[in-house]
Amino acid sequence: DAKTTQPPSMDCAEGRAANLPCNHSTISGNEYVYWYRQIHSQGPQYIIHGLKNNETNEMASLIITEDRKSSTLILPHATLRDTAVYYCIVRVANYGQNFVFGPGTRLSVLP
Amino acid sequence: GAVVSQHPSWVICKSGTSVKIECRSLDFQATTMFWYRQFPKQSLMLMATSNEGSKATYEQGVEKDKFLINHASLTLSTLTVTSAHPEDSSFYICSAPTSGRAYEQYFGPGTRLTVT
């Protein structure tokens, strides 16, 4: 699986958009980009995934560059409850394959 | 979305005893489930892959005789920590893949194990 690079930490003001970047320059054509987050002392929570096109759901938007070498997760109106570690993971869509978690980005939403 | 539950959410046990942790997929079936372990301030590390109807596969360095995995049905996998020691104290998390096109996985809420 391709490796990802994320900033170790970010701050965001409450109510503002949080933009979390992820570099995956060695991504293969059949690998998806997945985003999860982990709030303290909880299991990871699925946020969104994408292959080539930008995606949006009730939680966030995922913007993938045209060359697919990087992506940005956007939380449009961050709240204090969005404070968590955010993980960007790239992998092929394989039922029997686990996810490999890196250190992620620790997002702190500030009042 | 899909829901995965774990039981118990936390457990304290004495050194030398065994502890069983359950992982259930509540609204979907999963022939494969994954068990992770997370130590404080670290990321999740895969321990083993649980397969319904067959033996689990363990990651290098994980003792299969210590961490017994049983995938009893399409919605239940159990992890038993045998002869627990303080160094086994950790946060144990399971996950199960959905049948979505990208096979995204849903994770349980985790089980905090403390061995005294």
Side-chain angles (χ1 to χ4, degrees):
Chain A
D1 286 343
K3 292 184 178 178
T4 62
T5 303
Q6 300 177 250
S9 64
M10 293 181 62
D11 292 340
C12 176
E14 187 179 18
R16 304 297 289 269
N19 297 281
L20 292 93
C22 179
N23 286 320
H24 32 80
S25 59
T26 59
I27 191 171
S28 299
N30 61 345
E31 289 182 315
Y32 284 75
V33 180
Y34 301 81
W35 282 84
Y36 284 80
R37 72 180 182 184
Q38 186 176 26
I39 296 170
H40 183 62
S41 294
Q42 298 183 23
Q45 177 187 21
Y46 166 79
I47 301 174
I48 200 168
H49 73 271
L51 182 62
K52 292 187 294 186
N53 300 322
N54 298 336
E55 302 287 346
T56 295
N57 62 20
E58 64 278 5
M59 289 184 66
S61 294
L62 173 60
I63 308 298
I64 303 174
T65 58
E66 193 169 344
D67 63 7
R68 302 186 71 237
K69 293 185 177 182
S70 66
S71 60
T72 301
L73 178 74
I74 302 173
L75 307 179
H77 304 287
T79 71
L80 299 179
R81 289 174 295 184
D82 292 321
T83 292
V85 178
Y86 287 76
Y87 298 99
C88 168
I89 301 169
V90 294
R91 70 189 270 278
V92 296
N94 184 334
Y95 182 87
Q97 186 173 347
N98 64 288
F99 279 78
V100 179
F101 288 81
T105 295
R106 182 171 298 277
L107 175 68
S108 298
V109 181
L110 308 175
Chain B
V3 178
V4 174
S5 71
Q6 282 184 242
H7 178 81
S9 55
W10 59 271
V11 57
I12 301 173
C13 71
K14 293 187 176 181
S15 187
T17 61
S18 296
V19 173
K20 179 185 287 188
I21 302 170
E22 293 185 348
C23 176
R24 294 181 185 271
S25 55
L26 296 186
D27 51 0
F28 65 103
Q29 295 181 333
T31 56
T32 297
M33 292 183 177
F34 301 93
W35 287 96
Y36 297 81
R37 181 167 53 181
Q38 186 175 32
F39 292 106
K41 299 189 184 301
Q42 296 185 21
S43 194
L44 283 76
M45 293 295 294
L46 180 70
M47 297 177 64
T49 301
S50 173
N51 303 297
E52 192 269 337
S54 64
K55 292 183 179 180
T57 55
Y58 292 81
E59 294 301 294
Q60 190 172 10
V62 178
E63 300 174 57
K64 62 180 180 181
D65 294 330
K66 181 173 184 60
F67 298 99
L68 301 179
I69 290 173
N70 182 25
H71 200 132
S73 73
L74 290 174
T75 59
L76 173 64
S77 175
T78 60
L79 169 68
T80 301
V81 183
T82 63
S83 186
H85 289 97
E87 57 265 31
D88 298 323
S89 298
S90 188
F91 193 48
Y92 292 87
I93 305 166
C94 69
S95 74
T98 67
S99 58
R101 184 175 180 179
Y103 297 124
E104 61 271 25
Q105 294 185 12
Y106 286 83
F107 289 77
T111 297
R112 174 77 57 193
L113 170 63
T114 301
V115 184
T116 62

